[in-house]
mmCIF file of all heavy atoms in Angstrom:
data_model
loop_
_atom_site.group_PDB
_atom_site.id
_atom_site.type_symbol
_atom_site.label_atom_id
_atom_site.label_comp_id
_atom_site.label_asym_id
_atom_site.label_seq_id
_atom_site.Cartn_x
_atom_site.Cartn_y
_atom_site.Cartn_z
ATOM 1 N N SER A 1 64.342 125.704 88.692
ATOM 2 C CA SER A 1 65.319 126.779 88.579
ATOM 3 C C SER A 1 64.920 127.880 89.547
ATOM 4 O O SER A 1 63.774 127.985 89.981
ATOM 5 C CB SER A 1 65.397 127.309 87.147
ATOM 6 O OG SER A 1 64.141 127.812 86.720
ATOM 7 N N ARG A 2 65.882 128.719 89.859
ATOM 8 C CA ARG A 2 65.706 129.700 90.922
ATOM 9 C C ARG A 2 65.027 130.965 90.422
ATOM 10 O O ARG A 2 65.346 131.470 89.344
ATOM 11 C CB ARG A 2 67.085 130.039 91.507
ATOM 12 C CG ARG A 2 67.072 130.966 92.697
ATOM 13 C CD ARG A 2 68.466 131.006 93.296
ATOM 14 N NE ARG A 2 68.607 132.071 94.268
ATOM 15 C CZ ARG A 2 69.721 132.300 94.955
ATOM 16 N NH1 ARG A 2 70.768 131.520 94.763
ATOM 17 N NH2 ARG A 2 69.799 133.285 95.820
ATOM 18 N N VAL A 3 64.078 131.446 91.210
ATOM 19 C CA VAL A 3 63.487 132.766 91.017
ATOM 20 C C VAL A 3 63.706 133.520 92.326
ATOM 21 O O VAL A 3 63.077 133.204 93.334
ATOM 22 C CB VAL A 3 61.988 132.682 90.679
ATOM 23 C CG1 VAL A 3 61.398 134.079 90.504
ATOM 24 C CG2 VAL A 3 61.749 131.830 89.443
ATOM 25 N N TRP A 4 64.603 134.490 92.323
ATOM 26 C CA TRP A 4 65.011 135.208 93.520
ATOM 27 C C TRP A 4 65.555 134.239 94.567
ATOM 28 O O TRP A 4 66.559 133.602 94.371
ATOM 29 C CB TRP A 4 63.874 136.089 94.066
ATOM 30 C CG TRP A 4 63.221 136.924 93.004
ATOM 31 C CD1 TRP A 4 61.886 137.077 92.777
ATOM 32 C CD2 TRP A 4 63.856 137.726 91.994
ATOM 33 N NE1 TRP A 4 61.646 137.899 91.697
ATOM 34 C CE2 TRP A 4 62.848 138.314 91.201
ATOM 35 C CE3 TRP A 4 65.187 138.002 91.667
ATOM 36 C CZ2 TRP A 4 63.120 139.158 90.132
ATOM 37 C CZ3 TRP A 4 65.464 138.834 90.590
ATOM 38 C CH2 TRP A 4 64.443 139.401 89.856
ATOM 39 N N ARG A 5 64.861 134.033 95.663
ATOM 40 C CA ARG A 5 65.433 133.209 96.728
ATOM 41 C C ARG A 5 65.158 131.714 96.549
ATOM 42 O O ARG A 5 65.901 130.885 97.077
ATOM 43 C CB ARG A 5 64.876 133.631 98.097
ATOM 44 C CG ARG A 5 65.495 134.910 98.641
ATOM 45 C CD ARG A 5 64.953 135.198 100.022
ATOM 46 N NE ARG A 5 65.453 136.457 100.545
ATOM 47 C CZ ARG A 5 66.438 136.567 101.430
ATOM 48 N NH1 ARG A 5 67.040 135.497 101.873
ATOM 49 N NH2 ARG A 5 66.811 137.751 101.886
ATOM 50 N N SER A 6 64.082 131.366 95.881
ATOM 51 C CA SER A 6 63.637 129.979 95.888
ATOM 52 C C SER A 6 63.530 129.403 94.483
ATOM 53 O O SER A 6 63.333 130.136 93.508
ATOM 54 C CB SER A 6 62.266 129.865 96.583
ATOM 55 O OG SER A 6 62.325 130.354 97.903
ATOM 56 N N ASN A 7 63.615 128.092 94.410
ATOM 57 C CA ASN A 7 63.430 127.388 93.138
ATOM 58 C C ASN A 7 61.945 127.159 92.909
ATOM 59 O O ASN A 7 61.401 126.124 93.285
ATOM 60 C CB ASN A 7 64.184 126.056 93.159
ATOM 61 C CG ASN A 7 65.670 126.242 92.983
ATOM 62 O OD1 ASN A 7 66.239 127.198 93.467
ATOM 63 N ND2 ASN A 7 66.304 125.329 92.283
ATOM 64 N N THR A 8 61.293 128.132 92.294
ATOM 65 C CA THR A 8 59.844 128.069 92.112
ATOM 66 C C THR A 8 59.431 127.861 90.660
ATOM 67 O O THR A 8 58.244 127.833 90.347
ATOM 68 C CB THR A 8 59.178 129.351 92.644
ATOM 69 O OG1 THR A 8 59.822 130.490 92.067
ATOM 70 C CG2 THR A 8 59.290 129.432 94.157
ATOM 71 N N LYS A 9 60.387 127.708 89.775
ATOM 72 C CA LYS A 9 60.079 127.490 88.364
ATOM 73 C C LYS A 9 60.646 126.131 87.965
ATOM 74 O O LYS A 9 61.780 125.799 88.299
ATOM 75 C CB LYS A 9 60.713 128.601 87.511
ATOM 76 C CG LYS A 9 60.279 128.610 86.060
ATOM 77 C CD LYS A 9 61.008 129.710 85.286
ATOM 78 C CE LYS A 9 60.598 131.091 85.755
ATOM 79 N NZ LYS A 9 61.246 132.153 84.935
ATOM 80 N N GLY A 10 59.843 125.319 87.277
ATOM 81 C CA GLY A 10 60.332 123.990 86.906
ATOM 82 C C GLY A 10 59.358 123.245 86.017
ATOM 83 O O GLY A 10 58.524 123.851 85.336
ATOM 84 N N ASP A 11 59.462 121.909 86.035
ATOM 85 C CA ASP A 11 58.573 121.036 85.273
ATOM 86 C C ASP A 11 57.608 120.332 86.222
ATOM 87 O O ASP A 11 57.963 120.021 87.368
ATOM 88 C CB ASP A 11 59.371 119.974 84.508
ATOM 89 C CG ASP A 11 60.249 120.577 83.418
ATOM 90 O OD1 ASP A 11 59.871 121.625 82.874
ATOM 91 O OD2 ASP A 11 61.304 119.992 83.117
ATOM 92 N N TYR A 12 56.399 120.054 85.721
ATOM 93 C CA TYR A 12 55.384 119.349 86.507
ATOM 94 C C TYR A 12 54.907 118.109 85.757
ATOM 95 O O TYR A 12 54.702 118.141 84.541
ATOM 96 C CB TYR A 12 54.184 120.256 86.793
ATOM 97 C CG TYR A 12 54.424 121.292 87.866
ATOM 98 C CD1 TYR A 12 54.885 122.564 87.545
ATOM 99 C CD2 TYR A 12 54.187 120.997 89.205
ATOM 100 C CE1 TYR A 12 55.100 123.520 88.523
ATOM 101 C CE2 TYR A 12 54.395 121.952 90.191
ATOM 102 C CZ TYR A 12 54.850 123.203 89.847
ATOM 103 O OH TYR A 12 55.059 124.151 90.819
ATOM 104 N N TRP A 13 54.723 117.047 86.528
ATOM 105 C CA TRP A 13 54.182 115.798 86.016
ATOM 106 C C TRP A 13 53.004 115.368 86.887
ATOM 107 O O TRP A 13 53.012 115.591 88.106
ATOM 108 C CB TRP A 13 55.237 114.688 86.032
ATOM 109 C CG TRP A 13 56.432 114.939 85.158
ATOM 110 C CD1 TRP A 13 57.469 115.792 85.399
ATOM 111 C CD2 TRP A 13 56.714 114.321 83.903
ATOM 112 N NE1 TRP A 13 58.386 115.756 84.379
ATOM 113 C CE2 TRP A 13 57.953 114.853 83.441
ATOM 114 C CE3 TRP A 13 56.062 113.368 83.118
ATOM 115 C CZ2 TRP A 13 58.541 114.463 82.246
ATOM 116 C CZ3 TRP A 13 56.648 112.978 81.926
ATOM 117 C CH2 TRP A 13 57.865 113.528 81.495
ATOM 118 N N VAL A 14 51.992 114.760 86.258
ATOM 119 C CA VAL A 14 50.852 114.221 86.988
ATOM 120 C C VAL A 14 50.870 112.697 86.891
ATOM 121 O O VAL A 14 50.963 112.137 85.787
ATOM 122 C CB VAL A 14 49.512 114.755 86.433
ATOM 123 C CG1 VAL A 14 48.338 114.045 87.110
ATOM 124 C CG2 VAL A 14 49.405 116.255 86.646
ATOM 125 N N TYR A 15 50.791 112.049 88.053
ATOM 126 C CA TYR A 15 50.702 110.589 88.091
ATOM 127 C C TYR A 15 49.329 110.206 88.620
ATOM 128 O O TYR A 15 48.918 110.648 89.698
ATOM 129 C CB TYR A 15 51.794 109.998 88.980
ATOM 130 C CG TYR A 15 51.746 108.489 89.057
ATOM 131 C CD1 TYR A 15 52.186 107.706 87.990
ATOM 132 C CD2 TYR A 15 51.247 107.847 90.188
ATOM 133 C CE1 TYR A 15 52.137 106.321 88.048
ATOM 134 C CE2 TYR A 15 51.198 106.465 90.255
ATOM 135 C CZ TYR A 15 51.642 105.705 89.181
ATOM 136 O OH TYR A 15 51.588 104.326 89.244
ATOM 137 N N ASP A 16 48.606 109.393 87.838
ATOM 138 C CA ASP A 16 47.272 108.922 88.205
ATOM 139 C C ASP A 16 47.419 107.593 88.942
ATOM 140 O O ASP A 16 47.898 106.606 88.373
ATOM 141 C CB ASP A 16 46.409 108.749 86.959
ATOM 142 C CG ASP A 16 44.949 108.515 87.293
ATOM 143 O OD1 ASP A 16 44.665 107.590 88.081
ATOM 144 O OD2 ASP A 16 44.096 109.241 86.761
ATOM 145 N N LEU A 17 47.024 107.574 90.215
ATOM 146 C CA LEU A 17 47.211 106.373 91.022
ATOM 147 C C LEU A 17 46.341 105.213 90.552
ATOM 148 O O LEU A 17 46.710 104.044 90.733
ATOM 149 C CB LEU A 17 46.895 106.680 92.496
ATOM 150 C CG LEU A 17 47.865 107.653 93.184
ATOM 151 C CD1 LEU A 17 47.303 108.114 94.521
ATOM 152 C CD2 LEU A 17 49.220 107.010 93.388
ATOM 153 N N ALA A 18 45.199 105.524 89.930
ATOM 154 C CA ALA A 18 44.310 104.458 89.468
ATOM 155 C C ALA A 18 44.787 103.867 88.143
ATOM 156 O O ALA A 18 44.948 102.643 88.008
ATOM 157 C CB ALA A 18 42.884 104.987 89.332
ATOM 158 N N SER A 19 45.025 104.716 87.171
ATOM 159 C CA SER A 19 45.434 104.224 85.845
ATOM 160 C C SER A 19 46.935 103.969 85.746
ATOM 161 O O SER A 19 47.405 103.358 84.783
ATOM 162 C CB SER A 19 45.024 105.233 84.770
ATOM 163 O OG SER A 19 45.768 106.431 84.899
ATOM 164 N N ARG A 20 47.689 104.502 86.732
ATOM 165 C CA ARG A 20 49.156 104.388 86.755
ATOM 166 C C ARG A 20 49.800 105.053 85.542
ATOM 167 O O ARG A 20 50.854 104.651 85.076
ATOM 168 C CB ARG A 20 49.585 102.919 86.866
ATOM 169 C CG ARG A 20 49.067 102.247 88.131
ATOM 170 C CD ARG A 20 49.566 100.826 88.246
ATOM 171 N NE ARG A 20 49.040 100.191 89.450
ATOM 172 C CZ ARG A 20 49.279 98.937 89.813
ATOM 173 N NH1 ARG A 20 50.064 98.174 89.042
ATOM 174 N NH2 ARG A 20 48.768 98.448 90.920
ATOM 175 N N GLU A 21 49.139 106.098 85.059
ATOM 176 C CA GLU A 21 49.676 106.860 83.929
ATOM 177 C C GLU A 21 50.438 108.076 84.438
ATOM 178 O O GLU A 21 50.046 108.706 85.424
ATOM 179 C CB GLU A 21 48.544 107.313 83.008
ATOM 180 C CG GLU A 21 47.886 106.200 82.218
ATOM 181 C CD GLU A 21 46.834 106.747 81.278
ATOM 182 O OE1 GLU A 21 45.813 107.275 81.766
ATOM 183 O OE2 GLU A 21 47.030 106.657 80.055
ATOM 184 N N LEU A 22 51.499 108.422 83.724
ATOM 185 C CA LEU A 22 52.309 109.587 84.038
ATOM 186 C C LEU A 22 52.303 110.517 82.833
ATOM 187 O O LEU A 22 52.598 110.094 81.716
ATOM 188 C CB LEU A 22 53.741 109.169 84.370
ATOM 189 C CG LEU A 22 54.721 110.301 84.687
ATOM 190 C CD1 LEU A 22 54.383 110.947 86.032
ATOM 191 C CD2 LEU A 22 56.153 109.780 84.692
ATOM 192 N N LYS A 23 51.943 111.802 83.065
ATOM 193 C CA LYS A 23 51.916 112.775 81.976
ATOM 194 C C LYS A 23 52.594 114.061 82.413
ATOM 195 O O LYS A 23 52.442 114.505 83.552
ATOM 196 C CB LYS A 23 50.468 113.091 81.560
ATOM 197 C CG LYS A 23 49.744 111.952 80.863
ATOM 198 C CD LYS A 23 48.377 112.411 80.393
ATOM 199 C CE LYS A 23 47.647 111.302 79.637
ATOM 200 N NZ LYS A 23 46.304 111.760 79.157
ATOM 201 N N GLN A 24 53.311 114.668 81.476
ATOM 202 C CA GLN A 24 53.926 115.961 81.753
ATOM 203 C C GLN A 24 52.953 117.084 81.415
ATOM 204 O O GLN A 24 52.267 117.049 80.395
ATOM 205 C CB GLN A 24 55.212 116.147 80.946
ATOM 206 C CG GLN A 24 55.928 117.455 81.286
ATOM 207 C CD GLN A 24 57.227 117.642 80.530
ATOM 208 O OE1 GLN A 24 57.573 116.839 79.670
ATOM 209 N NE2 GLN A 24 57.948 118.706 80.851
ATOM 210 N N LEU A 25 52.885 118.070 82.278
ATOM 211 C CA LEU A 25 52.071 119.250 82.022
ATOM 212 C C LEU A 25 52.860 120.263 81.204
ATOM 213 O O LEU A 25 54.083 120.359 81.318
ATOM 214 C CB LEU A 25 51.649 119.897 83.347
ATOM 215 C CG LEU A 25 50.753 119.075 84.266
ATOM 216 C CD1 LEU A 25 50.552 119.809 85.585
ATOM 217 C CD2 LEU A 25 49.411 118.792 83.610
ATOM 218 N N GLY A 26 52.146 121.025 80.392
ATOM 219 C CA GLY A 26 52.760 122.110 79.650
ATOM 220 C C GLY A 26 53.934 121.691 78.798
ATOM 221 O O GLY A 26 54.911 122.439 78.668
ATOM 222 N N SER A 27 53.836 120.527 78.199
ATOM 223 C CA SER A 27 54.962 119.994 77.431
ATOM 224 C C SER A 27 55.303 120.856 76.216
ATOM 225 O O SER A 27 56.408 120.779 75.690
ATOM 226 C CB SER A 27 54.673 118.560 76.983
ATOM 227 O OG SER A 27 53.467 118.501 76.231
ATOM 228 N N LYS A 28 54.364 121.692 75.789
ATOM 229 C CA LYS A 28 54.640 122.558 74.633
ATOM 230 C C LYS A 28 55.515 123.750 75.011
ATOM 231 O O LYS A 28 56.084 124.411 74.150
ATOM 232 C CB LYS A 28 53.335 123.042 74.009
ATOM 233 C CG LYS A 28 52.631 124.143 74.786
ATOM 234 C CD LYS A 28 51.427 124.692 74.013
ATOM 235 C CE LYS A 28 50.830 125.919 74.689
ATOM 236 N NZ LYS A 28 49.707 126.490 73.926
ATOM 237 N N PHE A 29 55.605 124.033 76.327
ATOM 238 C CA PHE A 29 56.408 125.163 76.774
ATOM 239 C C PHE A 29 57.864 124.745 76.968
ATOM 240 O O PHE A 29 58.188 123.561 77.056
ATOM 241 C CB PHE A 29 55.851 125.725 78.084
ATOM 242 C CG PHE A 29 54.453 126.272 77.978
ATOM 243 C CD1 PHE A 29 53.412 125.709 78.703
ATOM 244 C CD2 PHE A 29 54.164 127.343 77.146
ATOM 245 C CE1 PHE A 29 52.123 126.201 78.620
ATOM 246 C CE2 PHE A 29 52.875 127.845 77.045
ATOM 247 C CZ PHE A 29 51.852 127.273 77.778
ATOM 248 N N GLU A 30 58.721 125.737 77.049
ATOM 249 C CA GLU A 30 60.127 125.438 77.283
ATOM 250 C C GLU A 30 60.313 124.769 78.639
ATOM 251 O O GLU A 30 59.500 124.941 79.560
ATOM 252 C CB GLU A 30 60.949 126.722 77.213
ATOM 253 C CG GLU A 30 60.580 127.760 78.264
ATOM 254 C CD GLU A 30 61.235 129.115 78.025
ATOM 255 O OE1 GLU A 30 60.743 129.856 77.158
ATOM 256 O OE2 GLU A 30 62.236 129.404 78.710
ATOM 257 N N ALA A 31 61.382 124.006 78.758
ATOM 258 C CA ALA A 31 61.645 123.264 79.988
ATOM 259 C C ALA A 31 61.828 124.212 81.166
ATOM 260 O O ALA A 31 62.291 125.344 81.019
ATOM 261 C CB ALA A 31 62.886 122.393 79.814
ATOM 262 N N SER A 32 61.419 123.736 82.332
ATOM 263 C CA SER A 32 61.613 124.447 83.597
ATOM 264 C C SER A 32 61.026 125.853 83.563
ATOM 265 O O SER A 32 61.668 126.828 83.959
ATOM 266 C CB SER A 32 63.109 124.517 83.946
ATOM 267 O OG SER A 32 63.303 125.048 85.225
ATOM 268 N N SER A 33 59.759 125.970 83.103
ATOM 269 C CA SER A 33 59.160 127.302 82.988
ATOM 270 C C SER A 33 57.782 127.416 83.624
ATOM 271 O O SER A 33 57.153 128.470 83.534
ATOM 272 C CB SER A 33 59.059 127.713 81.512
ATOM 273 O OG SER A 33 58.126 126.904 80.813
ATOM 274 N N LEU A 34 57.287 126.351 84.280
ATOM 275 C CA LEU A 34 55.972 126.408 84.920
ATOM 276 C C LEU A 34 56.118 126.716 86.406
ATOM 277 O O LEU A 34 57.103 126.336 87.042
ATOM 278 C CB LEU A 34 55.225 125.086 84.756
ATOM 279 C CG LEU A 34 55.032 124.538 83.343
ATOM 280 C CD1 LEU A 34 54.065 123.355 83.375
ATOM 281 C CD2 LEU A 34 54.526 125.607 82.387
ATOM 282 N N MET A 35 55.089 127.385 86.948
ATOM 283 C CA MET A 35 55.122 127.765 88.358
ATOM 284 C C MET A 35 53.790 127.456 89.025
ATOM 285 O O MET A 35 52.722 127.690 88.453
ATOM 286 C CB MET A 35 55.417 129.266 88.506
ATOM 287 C CG MET A 35 56.695 129.744 87.830
ATOM 288 S SD MET A 35 56.932 131.542 87.937
ATOM 289 C CE MET A 35 57.383 131.722 89.657
ATOM 290 N N PHE A 36 53.860 126.917 90.252
ATOM 291 C CA PHE A 36 52.738 126.820 91.193
ATOM 292 C C PHE A 36 51.552 126.000 90.683
ATOM 293 O O PHE A 36 50.390 126.320 90.952
ATOM 294 C CB PHE A 36 52.251 128.209 91.613
ATOM 295 C CG PHE A 36 53.362 129.135 91.998
ATOM 296 C CD1 PHE A 36 53.569 130.322 91.328
ATOM 297 C CD2 PHE A 36 54.237 128.792 93.004
ATOM 298 C CE1 PHE A 36 54.609 131.175 91.664
ATOM 299 C CE2 PHE A 36 55.286 129.631 93.359
ATOM 300 C CZ PHE A 36 55.471 130.818 92.688
ATOM 301 N N ALA A 37 51.817 124.940 89.934
ATOM 302 C CA ALA A 37 50.721 124.111 89.423
ATOM 303 C C ALA A 37 49.917 123.528 90.576
ATOM 304 O O ALA A 37 50.468 123.108 91.590
ATOM 305 C CB ALA A 37 51.284 122.991 88.547
ATOM 306 N N LYS A 38 48.589 123.494 90.382
ATOM 307 C CA LYS A 38 47.733 122.915 91.425
ATOM 308 C C LYS A 38 46.440 122.396 90.805
ATOM 309 O O LYS A 38 45.942 122.925 89.808
ATOM 310 C CB LYS A 38 47.459 123.920 92.549
ATOM 311 C CG LYS A 38 46.893 125.245 92.104
ATOM 312 C CD LYS A 38 46.691 126.180 93.298
ATOM 313 C CE LYS A 38 47.958 126.770 93.816
ATOM 314 N NZ LYS A 38 48.474 127.861 92.987
ATOM 315 N N PHE A 39 45.899 121.337 91.425
ATOM 316 C CA PHE A 39 44.692 120.677 90.939
ATOM 317 C C PHE A 39 43.450 121.509 91.221
ATOM 318 O O PHE A 39 43.360 122.195 92.246
ATOM 319 C CB PHE A 39 44.505 119.327 91.633
ATOM 320 C CG PHE A 39 45.510 118.280 91.266
ATOM 321 C CD1 PHE A 39 46.525 117.934 92.154
ATOM 322 C CD2 PHE A 39 45.427 117.607 90.056
ATOM 323 C CE1 PHE A 39 47.441 116.950 91.831
ATOM 324 C CE2 PHE A 39 46.342 116.623 89.730
ATOM 325 C CZ PHE A 39 47.355 116.295 90.613
ATOM 326 N N SER A 40 42.463 121.400 90.358
ATOM 327 C CA SER A 40 41.122 121.881 90.672
ATOM 328 C C SER A 40 40.446 120.848 91.567
ATOM 329 O O SER A 40 40.808 119.669 91.562
ATOM 330 C CB SER A 40 40.307 122.087 89.395
ATOM 331 O OG SER A 40 40.175 120.865 88.677
ATOM 332 N N ALA A 41 39.452 121.297 92.340
ATOM 333 C CA ALA A 41 38.793 120.395 93.281
ATOM 334 C C ALA A 41 38.048 119.264 92.580
ATOM 335 O O ALA A 41 37.868 118.186 93.151
ATOM 336 C CB ALA A 41 37.827 121.185 94.162
ATOM 337 N N ASP A 42 37.620 119.472 91.318
ATOM 338 C CA ASP A 42 36.887 118.426 90.606
ATOM 339 C C ASP A 42 37.811 117.479 89.836
ATOM 340 O O ASP A 42 37.347 116.589 89.115
ATOM 341 C CB ASP A 42 35.864 119.052 89.651
ATOM 342 C CG ASP A 42 36.527 119.948 88.596
ATOM 343 O OD1 ASP A 42 37.777 120.000 88.549
ATOM 344 O OD2 ASP A 42 35.786 120.594 87.835
ATOM 345 N N ASN A 43 39.138 117.691 89.971
ATOM 346 C CA ASN A 43 40.139 116.815 89.340
ATOM 347 C C ASN A 43 40.077 116.805 87.813
ATOM 348 O O ASN A 43 40.543 115.864 87.178
ATOM 349 C CB ASN A 43 40.029 115.371 89.848
ATOM 350 C CG ASN A 43 40.508 115.255 91.281
ATOM 351 O OD1 ASN A 43 41.422 115.954 91.692
ATOM 352 N ND2 ASN A 43 39.874 114.389 92.045
ATOM 353 N N GLU A 44 39.550 117.878 87.245
ATOM 354 C CA GLU A 44 39.507 117.966 85.796
ATOM 355 C C GLU A 44 40.721 118.693 85.233
ATOM 356 O O GLU A 44 41.194 118.387 84.142
ATOM 357 C CB GLU A 44 38.235 118.696 85.345
ATOM 358 C CG GLU A 44 36.949 117.906 85.533
ATOM 359 C CD GLU A 44 36.875 116.700 84.607
ATOM 360 O OE1 GLU A 44 37.307 116.806 83.444
ATOM 361 O OE2 GLU A 44 36.398 115.646 85.069
ATOM 362 N N TYR A 45 41.210 119.648 85.991
ATOM 363 C CA TYR A 45 42.241 120.538 85.461
ATOM 364 C C TYR A 45 43.385 120.725 86.457
ATOM 365 O O TYR A 45 43.245 120.506 87.660
ATOM 366 C CB TYR A 45 41.656 121.923 85.144
ATOM 367 C CG TYR A 45 40.598 121.908 84.070
ATOM 368 C CD1 TYR A 45 39.245 121.850 84.401
ATOM 369 C CD2 TYR A 45 40.952 121.972 82.716
ATOM 370 C CE1 TYR A 45 38.266 121.844 83.417
ATOM 371 C CE2 TYR A 45 39.975 121.963 81.727
ATOM 372 C CZ TYR A 45 38.641 121.902 82.080
ATOM 373 O OH TYR A 45 37.675 121.893 81.104
ATOM 374 N N VAL A 46 44.483 121.183 85.891
ATOM 375 C CA VAL A 46 45.572 121.765 86.677
ATOM 376 C C VAL A 46 45.791 123.173 86.137
ATOM 377 O O VAL A 46 45.774 123.387 84.917
ATOM 378 C CB VAL A 46 46.871 120.942 86.554
ATOM 379 C CG1 VAL A 46 48.024 121.675 87.217
ATOM 380 C CG2 VAL A 46 46.695 119.570 87.181
#
């Protein structure tokens, strides 16, 4: 969804290439409400 000029708010999913698992981040929050998700360098967190 749009925030001012750009669509910067939405849903994020993580796909693990090794396990082939797909998981949604922040599923407890309302839809289309996360911004700027990014991995930690140790791959433990987003």
Side-chain angles (χ1 to χ4, degrees):
S1 60
R2 185 170 168 179
V3 179
W4 312 132
R5 283 184 184 259
S6 302
N7 284 36
T8 52
K9 189 182 293 184
D11 294 330
Y12 284 92
W13 297 75
V14 173
Y15 180 75
D16 191 306
L17 293 168
S19 67
R20 300 183 181 179
E21 290 183 294
L22 179 70
K23 291 185 178 181
Q24 184 178 5
L25 296 174
S27 57
K28 76 173 188 178
F29 297 117
E30 62 190 78
S32 187
S33 67
L34 305 190
M35 304 176 73
F36 313 120
K38 54 181 75 77
F39 291 105
S40 60
D42 60 5
N43 289 326
E44 289 292 322
Y45 297 95
V46 172

